[in-house]
């Protein structure tokens, strides 16, 4: 009788491992969201360049006792244009939004705000993207809900739409305000 090698089981075990990972991914709470290592942790230090003619913000601003949004954006980002009217609506409601212009040319960023409006309470520039690395940025646009103590409550990757505002941002802001 022929002897069966234990190595013959390896392909089946590898396949079973892939199936297991796929099942875990499919049954996550939100399979489309990207995980964030920063949620529940203090916001990383604010290290930005000045945006000429605009108010700057700092670490202390993020720990001022109020819930706020921090939004990474760029003039070259098409989804940033899509979300812009929604950010303006939130700003008009009195929600403070702190903008971080990401890896952008100043003239283009200024033209973007001149054309579409400025929904930001204060803005800084992350020209080299170093602060973005500390925040765990995947790409623009990304919006963070930060509680009054400067802790990141939520990270949302993608454009802020009405559905995102109602189903994701508002619940996170209410939760952060009630802590």
């Amino acid at each position: 009788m022929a002897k069966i090698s234990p190595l013959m089981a390896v392909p089946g075990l590898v396949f079973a491992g892939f199936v297991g990972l796929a099942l875990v991914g499919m049954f996550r709470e939100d399979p489309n969201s990207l995980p964030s290592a920063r949620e529940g942790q203090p916001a990383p230090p604010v290290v930005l360049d000045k945006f000429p003619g605009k108010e700057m913000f700092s670490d202390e601003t993020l720990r001022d006792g109020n819930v706020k949004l921090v939004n990474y954006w760029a003039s070259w980002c098409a989804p940033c244009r899509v979300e812009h009217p929604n950010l303006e609506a939130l700003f008009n409601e009195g929600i403070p939004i702190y903008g971080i212009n990401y890896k952008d040319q100043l003239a283009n960023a200024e033209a973007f705000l001149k054309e579409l409006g400025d929904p930001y309470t204060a803005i800084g520039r992350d020209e080299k993207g170093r602060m973005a690395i500390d925040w765990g940025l995947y790409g623009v646009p990304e919006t963070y809900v930060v509680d009054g103590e400067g802790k990141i409550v939520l990270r949302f990757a993608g454009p802020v739409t009405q559905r995102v505002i109602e189903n994701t941002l508002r619940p996170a802001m209410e939760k952060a305000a009630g802590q």
Side-chain angles (χ1 to χ4, degrees):
M1 223 169 150
K3 202 171 179 186
I4 297 177
S5 170
L7 291 176
M8 295 202 48
V10 170
L13 291 173
V14 169
F15 179 74
F18 283 130
V19 169
L21 285 173
L23 287 173
V24 167
M26 285 177 26
F27 293 107
R28 288 188 330 197
E29 189 172 311
D30 183 359
N32 295 320
S33 71
L34 296 170
S36 174
R38 289 289 178 194
E39 285 182 14
Q41 295 182 8
V46 174
V47 182
L48 296 169
D49 298 313
K50 178 121 176 78
F51 197 108
K54 303 291 182 183
E55 186 175 327
M56 187 75 158
F57 66 99
S58 66
D59 291 327
E60 292 77 30
T61 308
L62 298 183
R63 292 158 179 78
D64 66 0
N66 298 311
V67 176
K68 64 204 55 68
L69 299 177
V70 174
N71 176 256
Y72 275 87
W73 64 280
S75 65
W76 46 262
C77 162
C80 295
R81 275 187 183 276
V82 171
E83 78 174 357
H84 207 80
N86 294 314
L87 294 177
E88 284 195 308
L90 289 169
F91 178 78
N92 291 334
E93 287 179 26
I95 296 170
I97 305 172
Y98 296 91
I100 301 173
N101 183 238
Y102 176 71
K103 291 188 175 182
D104 208 350
Q105 293 183 8
L106 180 58
N108 294 343
E110 289 173 326
F112 180 91
L113 293 177
K114 186 175 182 182
E115 177 188 345
L116 299 176
D118 182 358
Y120 301 109
T121 306
I123 302 176
R125 298 182 67 223
D126 190 8
E127 292 179 77
K128 293 186 168 72
R130 291 198 173 116
M131 187 170 138
I133 292 169
D134 293 339
W135 281 67
L137 189 82
Y138 282 90
V140 289
E142 280 192 19
T143 304
Y144 297 80
V145 175
V146 180
D147 72 7
E149 297 174 1
K151 182 174 72 176
I152 296 174
V153 175
L154 172 83
R155 174 187 152 273
F156 179 78
V160 172
T161 63
Q162 285 299 317
R163 180 179 292 168
V164 169
I165 290 171
E166 295 308 319
N167 296 338
T168 307
L169 295 182
R170 284 198 199 284
M173 289 187 293
E174 289 168 6
K175 181 180 175 187
Q179 289 180 352

